[in-house]
Amino acid sequence: MSDFLTENISSYLKRIVDSYEFKPISYRYGTVEKLGDGVVRVSGLPDCCYGELLEFDSGAYGMVMDLEENSVGAVLLEKSNIVRVGETVKGTGRVVRTPVGECCLGRVIDPIGRPFDGKELNADIFYPVERPAPKLIDRRPVDTPLQTGFISIDSMIPIGRGQRELIIGDRQTGKTSICVDTIVNQKGQDIICIYCAIGQKASTVAGVIKTLTDNGAMDYSIVVASTAADSPAMQYLAPYSACAIGEYFSEHGKDVLVVYDDLSKHAIAYRTMSLLLHRPPGREAYPGDVFYLHSRLLERAACLSKEKGGGTLTALPIIETMGGNISAYIPTNVISITDGQIYLESELFHSGVRPAVNTGLSVSRVGRSAQRNAMKKVSGSLRIELAQYREMAVFARFGADIDDTTKAMLERGEHLTALFNQGRLDTYSLSKMVIMLYAFNRKAFKGVENSMLDEKSNELYSFIESKYPSVIKNIETTYDLDESTADTLKSAIKEWVSL
Ligand code: ATP
Ligand code: MG
């Protein structure tokens, strides 16, 4: 406008016209040759690229997955019967993209960014769903914990920000619950959470969204959903799309948590697509590149260096096993890709251990270095104690004669298991976990019935909260249990026991 004011109109217009560059937008058109089961073969698009979005005349969209000499194979993104043989197809010249940014917060969207609530998304930034993982140089070691709020996980199998921790277990063992409760536990921690549902029942996804909304977690969360009714291509795209949305935030210095629920269904969707595209089947009929399917996704989880903004992207992929078989094809693949796994066992779940974590088979390969000092100080021998208890408990079942030391060990183990029990959405703060474990190590709960343990530990915590609030404040601000705080805590526990 200022230019306009300083020069006369004709010269202004002349300059604009002169500077106009004619850039033709060229589209390539092909024809549908063959069609069936959500897969189309298109001829006449010789310079198509892998993953390119195709637009059909009938309004449907497809994604190129197969490049051959005379034709390309594409999967339809929608389960529609509107595509016909002979129809014209436009190559859009770009790969599948998803909207990213603040506008997605609190929304439920599908893998290509269409909101489920029918309202506008108003996105102006788009990322391709498939992106290269951050380079080695752009990463730094994991050094901050991501508190799940579950005492058994945070004390023994800690998860660091930027880590990939697999949640694995049979059906109905509380896999989704652990992840959803962890998202709820991030309230006020300045972490963006993304829940990606892959091939689940719409009712299950609705349940998760309700839990998140009811607990005020949707403010900092995004749900990327593809249900069982969606096409395999949509289910295949969902985790990559969720990851791209997370990457936008982590590249802007934020901490992000992405839950992929679950990757077994993702592998099955990919298998369906591959078989329909006539790719040769391999072990368990999965195509040969099924390892790459998950490794390229999980490699995108990262703890970025300070130069790259210092953001993190933590991934919690879920895998469902059959009959507790963790040595099947997909479970072993994902176990080898991730930095550790939390193994949930049906037997433990049904015997009342919640969360049903099998501590013997669970491990966190990088989380220990990220654990808070206060937690490190109180959780040292828990794993060994619990392992010894589980081993002894098997013998005790045979009714063998047991001496007093073994008996004491069994009692302590039972106590510890009861202490680790947490109901749904009953996550603890760091200070509460530290105080509970400290009291347990000092045998403050001796003689307390297992069923009363929860109540007693709550009682102890409220006692310290009201009489010694400095202990809680110190732990929550310094994340450490220094000597003077430990002394105060010790005398506080003594005082409580003698009440
Ligand atoms: P699926 O294989 O169907 O996906 P899942 O392994 O994700 O199942 P969830 O759906 O999380 O399991 O949980 C199964 C059931 O167990 C739910 O009804 C849930 O409420 C219950 N549950 C999970 N964790 C706990 C817990 N800590 N305390 C009490 N109940 C729990
Ligand atoms: Mg589930």
Side-chain angles (χ1 to χ4, degrees), residues 17-35:
V17 171
D18 284 347
S19 67
Y20 181 75
E21 209 178 311
F22 178 69
K23 283 196 211 116
I25 306 169
S26 67
Y27 288 114
R28 293 149 298 127
Y29 290 89
T31 321
V32 176
E33 293 290 337
K34 246 203 249 168
L35 170 72

Side-chain angles (χ1 to χ4, degrees), residues 101-109 179-180 182-187 191-196 208-209 211-213 215-224 245 249 256-257 259:
E102 310 285 334
C103 62
C104 298
L105 277 179
R107 304 298 295 268
V108 182
I109 55 176
C179 296
V180 171
T182 301
I183 292 181
V184 172
N185 192 47
Q186 305 311 314
K187 199 186 235 165
I191 295 187
I192 308 276
C193 301
I194 301 171
Y195 177 82
C196 174
V208 170
I209 296 168
T211 313
L212 292 178
T213 315
N215 292 284
M218 265 327 260
D219 301 342
Y220 54 87
S221 303
I222 301 163
V223 176
V224 180
I245 296 172
F249 290 105
V256 185
L257 166 69
V259 174

Side-chain angles (χ1 to χ4, degrees), residues 171-184:
R171 53 173 294 277
Q172 291 290 305
T173 46
K175 303 180 296 296
T176 306
S177 303
I178 287 190
C179 296
V180 171
D181 292 4
T182 301
I183 292 181
V184 172

Side-chain angles (χ1 to χ4, degrees), residues 96-100 125-129 131 244 247-248 251-252:
V96 180
R97 303 183 307 170
T98 179
V100 296
I125 313 168
F126 291 83
Y127 272 13
V129 295
R131 302 177 76 223
E247 275 170 340
Y248 170 83
E251 281 165 11
H252 286 77

Side-chain angles (χ1 to χ4, degrees), residues 364-383:
S364 175
R365 295 189 192 102
V366 294
R368 267 283 171 200
S369 55
Q371 206 172 24
R372 297 284 188 211
N373 276 341
M375 190 52 109
K376 265 187 203 156
K377 284 180 185 165
V378 292
S379 65
S381 60
L382 288 179
R383 252 185 114 92

Side-chain angles (χ1 to χ4, degrees), residues 330-453:
I330 302 299
T332 41
N333 274 357
V334 184
I335 285 174
S336 69
I337 296 165
T338 50
D339 310 308
Q341 72 273 359
I342 294 175
Y343 179 48
L344 304 175
E345 217 170 56
S346 297
E347 208 175 298
L348 288 176
F349 188 84
H350 295 305
S351 63
V353 181
R354 313 265 165 96
V357 180
N358 177 329
T359 38
L361 288 177
S362 302
V363 63
S364 175
R365 295 189 192 102
V366 294
R368 267 283 171 200
S369 55
Q371 206 172 24
R372 297 284 188 211
N373 276 341
M375 190 52 109
K376 265 187 203 156
K377 284 180 185 165
V378 292
S379 65
S381 60
L382 288 179
R383 252 185 114 92
I384 299 172
E385 237 174 279
L386 211 58
Q388 282 174 342
Y389 157 68
R390 293 260 157 84
E391 203 173 305
M392 278 300 160
V394 176
F395 282 111
R397 244 193 259 162
F398 297 124
D401 264 346
I402 35 177
D403 57 70
D404 287 346
T405 13
T406 318
K407 209 178 203 171
M409 192 210 277
L410 283 176
E411 261 171 23
R412 218 171 129 72
E414 263 171 44
H415 238 149
L416 193 59
T417 314
L419 193 77
F420 283 165
N421 256 11
Q422 274 170 271
R424 283 253 23 218
L425 298 163
D426 179 23
T427 47
Y428 300 158
S429 63
L430 176 69
S431 57
K432 183 162 181 186
M433 291 191 229
V434 170
I435 290 171
M436 280 171 74
L437 289 175
Y438 192 86
F440 176 81
N441 289 339
R442 308 236 147 224
K443 306 200 169 51
F445 299 123
K446 208 167 179 192
V448 176
E449 285 276 320
N450 282 344
S451 55
M452 293 292 287
L453 207 56

Side-chain angles (χ1 to χ4, degrees), residues 21 49 90 105 123 130 140 146 178 181 250 256 261 273 319 364-365 421 430 471 478 490:
E21 209 178 311
C49 69
K90 185 168 95 180
L105 277 179
E130 297 259 11
R140 74 189 149 95
L146 183 119
I178 287 190
D181 292 4
S250 69
V256 185
D261 194 359
M273 263 167 51
I319 286 279
S364 175
R365 295 189 192 102
N421 256 11
L430 176 69
V471 173
T478 62
K490 197 153 97 189

